[in-house]
């Protein structure tokens, strides 16, 4: 099993809809989790951290499920500008590892 | 004001050449990183430096040598370039310790080895 896995998509979603995708991780020693977004031919940018208690920032909600070893990202009322690739990041401090998922491509359709 | 900058933005070179990519951050961060993003968009960490000291050194060929003259700069030198080195190389920095999730990325250097 890969250390961090994401559905590559693409997810084609109409504007205004709600979309959610997950990221699974294999190592239970994983300690910190983040979502980044990367636009085409651009650098990754931090979207939000993922806390054990969940984290909400406007239309975006991130959650962590340690028992099932996955994190999720929910986008409500999607906008055209949400079209991007969403990368999950898992950090294992004990093993000095930072692992990026391969990303999920999201296309918001007008 | 550019927070993390990289030069050059594009680099086209022949196999066997030696090249360097420079990275500078003006955020006052202690930790800097180099990542490689291949044609399949897989972003993989190569090195991490904390206050000029090497912290993470993933399994990369020793043709790749990072150099940190001061904590605001982390350059990447690549010897004897190979076709498989073609990728986008991102520099990043973070304020927290050696392993931080809140990272600021540079715009990337697109390297093409012919």
């Amino acid at each position: 099993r890969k250390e961090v896995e994401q559905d590559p998509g693409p997810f084609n979603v109409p504007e205004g809809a709600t979309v959610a995708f997950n990221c699974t991780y294999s190592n239970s020693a994983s300690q910190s989790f983040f979502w980044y977004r990367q636009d085409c031919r651009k650098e990754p940018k931090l979207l939000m951290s993922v806390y054990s208690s969940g984290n909400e920032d406007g239309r975006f909600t991130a959650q962590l499920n340690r028992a099932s070893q996955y994190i999720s990202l929910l986008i409500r009322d999607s906008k055209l500008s949400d079209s991007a690739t969403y990368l999950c990041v898992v950090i294992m401090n004990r093993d000095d590892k930072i692992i990026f998922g391969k990303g999920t491509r999201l296309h918001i359709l007008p | 004001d550019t927070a993390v900058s990289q030069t050059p933005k594009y680099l086209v070179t022949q196999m066997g050449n030696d090249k360097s990519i420079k990275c500078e951050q003006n955020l006052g961060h202690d930790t800097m990183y180099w990542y490689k993003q291949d044609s399949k968009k897989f972003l993989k960490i190569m090195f991490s430096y904390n206050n000029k000291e090497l912290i993470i050194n993933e399994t990369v060929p020793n043709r790749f040598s990072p150099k940190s003259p001061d904590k605001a700069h982390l350059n990447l030198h690549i010897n004897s370039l190979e076709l498989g080195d073609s990728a986008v190389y991102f520099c990043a920095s973070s304020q927290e310790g050696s392993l931080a999730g809140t990272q600021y990325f540079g715009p990337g250097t697109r390297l093409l080895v012919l």
Side-chain angles (χ1 to χ4, degrees):
Chain A
R1 185 180 174 185
K2 291 180 185 167
E3 289 181 297
V4 176
E5 284 195 85
Q6 293 183 252
D7 182 340
F11 284 47
N12 297 309
V13 174
E15 193 176 6
T18 295
V19 61
F21 29 83
N22 293 339
C23 166
T24 59
Y25 60 94
S26 60
N27 193 327
S28 58
S30 303
Q31 291 174 268
S32 308
F33 308 88
F34 303 83
W35 283 104
Y36 276 70
R37 72 171 276 167
Q38 185 173 22
D39 294 290
C40 188
R41 299 184 66 78
K42 296 285 188 182
E43 71 274 21
K45 290 185 179 173
L46 178 67
L47 180 65
M48 58 199 307
S49 306
V50 187
Y51 304 127
S52 297
S53 55
N55 188 19
E56 187 172 319
D57 183 4
R59 299 181 294 109
F60 297 83
T61 300
Q63 292 196 309
L64 166 63
N65 185 319
R66 282 198 186 272
S68 301
Q69 295 186 193
Y70 72 88
I71 63 172
S72 63
L73 180 66
L74 178 85
I75 307 174
R76 287 181 297 277
D77 187 24
S78 52
K79 313 287 184 198
L80 295 177
S81 57
D82 294 333
S83 297
T85 296
Y86 290 84
L87 308 168
C88 71
V89 180
V90 174
I91 294 181
M92 290 176 264
N93 294 74
R94 191 184 68 185
D95 297 327
D96 276 347
K97 280 190 167 185
I98 300 176
I99 303 172
F100 277 72
K102 290 192 178 184
T104 296
R105 281 170 54 210
L106 175 64
H107 294 154
I108 303 300
L109 308 170
Chain B
D1 288 348
T2 305
V4 183
S5 58
Q6 296 179 227
T7 53
K9 204 168 179 181
Y10 299 95
L11 185 54
V12 181
T13 188
Q14 300 279 349
M15 263 174 52
N17 284 350
D18 303 338
K19 291 292 177 186
S20 291
I21 308 172
K22 295 186 176 180
C23 177
E24 177 181 2
Q25 53 94 4
N26 62 8
L27 298 166
H29 289 169
D30 284 335
T31 307
M32 296 183 72
Y33 311 79
W34 275 110
Y35 288 87
K36 177 181 179 181
Q37 188 168 43
D38 59 26
S39 57
K40 295 181 179 170
K41 308 299 181 191
F42 185 35
L43 191 66
K44 193 169 160 69
I45 190 168
M46 300 173 70
F47 303 101
S48 165
Y49 265 73
N50 181 261
N51 213 0
K52 299 197 297 172
E53 184 182 336
L54 181 65
I55 301 298
I56 294 175
N57 183 0
E58 291 293 316
T59 308
V60 299
N62 56 16
R63 298 181 295 103
F64 290 79
S65 51
K67 288 199 170 40
S68 183
D70 54 62
K71 75 172 196 178
H73 295 85
L74 182 62
N75 303 324
L76 184 65
H77 188 75
I78 315 170
N79 288 329
S80 303
L81 278 155
E82 299 177 357
L83 295 177
D85 297 333
S86 296
V88 182
Y89 291 83
F90 287 102
C91 175
S93 73
S94 66
Q95 188 170 26
E96 302 104 272
S98 57
L99 285 176
T102 306
Q103 300 185 21
Y104 296 81
F105 282 78
T109 294
R110 282 153 182 80
L111 171 66
L112 178 60
V113 182
L114 303 173

